[in-house]
């Protein structure tokens, strides 16, 4: 599966000058929501991540809202388990909404579209663990962490990509006058 080609075909790979959530600048950006709006691509991604974890034994898959909601659903569908999401709590963390059941000891897989630092998926994991869930793995479409992501459980991604990022004070794109776009 050529994940980068899927991003290109759906217009989800952007090139230019972007301000990332981390505050750093980059000449490339992956807009996974653009990719995941196509059911056939979303299903293929879900099945591929599901295959990476089919031997783990799970009760549910969770992803951080908003970007991880569709991904959690398609991976859960491929694995035949429930799909949950965690949402921002307004205090820098996340919570699992009432009605999304987690029983103590329920084993789960956390998923995210692109892992750079892993902060969002880590907050989703903490939210599920707070309800008694036990994280047994983290899955992603793209690993952009440069091998630095560590969740204390198996982490598997469909592909690893390294896009350059720059400190804003030393950004060659800024020096060249390329307009900065916030994402």
């Amino acid at each position: 599966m050529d994940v980068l080609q899927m991003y290109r075909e759906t217009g989800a790979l952007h090139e230019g000058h972007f301000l990332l959530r981390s505050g750093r600048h980059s000449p490339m950006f992956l807009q996974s929501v653009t990719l995941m709006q196509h059911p056939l691509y979303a299903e293929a991604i879900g099945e591929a991540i599901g295959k990476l974890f089919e031997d783990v034994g799970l009760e549910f898959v969770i992803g951080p809202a908003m970007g991880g909601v569709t991904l959690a659903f398609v991976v859960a569908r491929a694995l035949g388990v429930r799909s949950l999401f965690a949402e921002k709590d307004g205090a820098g963390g996340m919570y699992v909404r009432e009605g999304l059941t987690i029983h103590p000891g329920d084993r789960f897989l956390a998923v995210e579209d692109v892992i750079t630092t892993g902060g969002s998926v880590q907050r989703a994991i903490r939210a599920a663990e707070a309800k008694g869930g036990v994280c047994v793995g983290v899955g992603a479409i793209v690993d952009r962490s440069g091998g630095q992501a560590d969740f204390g459980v198996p982490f598997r991604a469909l592909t690893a990509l390294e896009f350059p990022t720059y400190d804003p004070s030393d950004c060659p794109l800024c020096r060249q006058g390329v307009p900065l776009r916030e994402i």
Side-chain angles (χ1 to χ4, degrees):
M1 166 181 290
D2 188 342
V3 174
L4 195 55
Q5 184 59 30
M6 291 174 130
Y7 276 89
R8 282 190 183 102
E9 287 175 8
T10 59
L13 172 63
H14 299 275
E15 297 182 63
H17 184 193
F18 302 97
L19 175 60
L20 304 176
R21 284 185 217 123
S22 66
R24 296 181 63 81
H25 294 193
S26 180
M28 302 185 91
F29 175 68
L30 297 170
Q31 185 66 49
S32 299
V33 68
T34 303
L35 169 66
M36 297 301 286
Q37 74 179 332
H38 298 278
L40 293 177
Y41 287 114
E43 187 174 274
I45 292 288
E47 288 175 4
I49 292 175
K51 284 184 194 296
L52 297 176
F53 292 94
E54 64 190 355
D55 61 336
V56 175
L58 308 167
E59 276 73 46
F60 67 92
V61 177
I62 193 167
M66 288 298 298
V69 174
T70 301
L71 182 60
F73 180 84
V74 295
V75 173
R77 182 173 187 260
L79 292 169
V81 299
R82 293 179 297 118
S83 171
L84 283 66
F85 62 91
E87 53 192 301
K88 292 180 181 176
D89 64 9
M94 290 188 169
Y95 73 101
V96 177
R97 161 184 309 246
E98 292 299 320
L100 299 178
T101 306
I102 299 175
H103 298 103
D106 277 356
R107 295 165 53 88
F108 71 91
L109 172 67
V111 296
E112 178 68 295
D113 57 347
V114 179
I115 299 283
T116 303
T117 64
S120 292
V121 76
Q122 193 68 260
R123 287 188 293 279
I125 290 168
R126 284 194 296 270
E129 288 176 340
K131 296 245 181 183
V134 177
C135 185
V136 296
V138 174
I141 302 172
V142 178
D143 176 5
R144 279 195 57 199
S145 75
Q148 299 302 305
D150 182 7
F151 303 100
V153 294
F155 169 47
R156 301 173 186 143
L158 297 180
T159 192
L161 298 173
E162 291 191 35
F163 296 154
T165 64
Y166 309 106
D167 185 276
S169 66
D170 190 34
C171 176
L173 301 167
C174 288
R175 288 193 298 273
Q176 294 168 15
V178 178
L180 181 65
R181 292 175 43 197
E182 288 190 40
I183 50 166

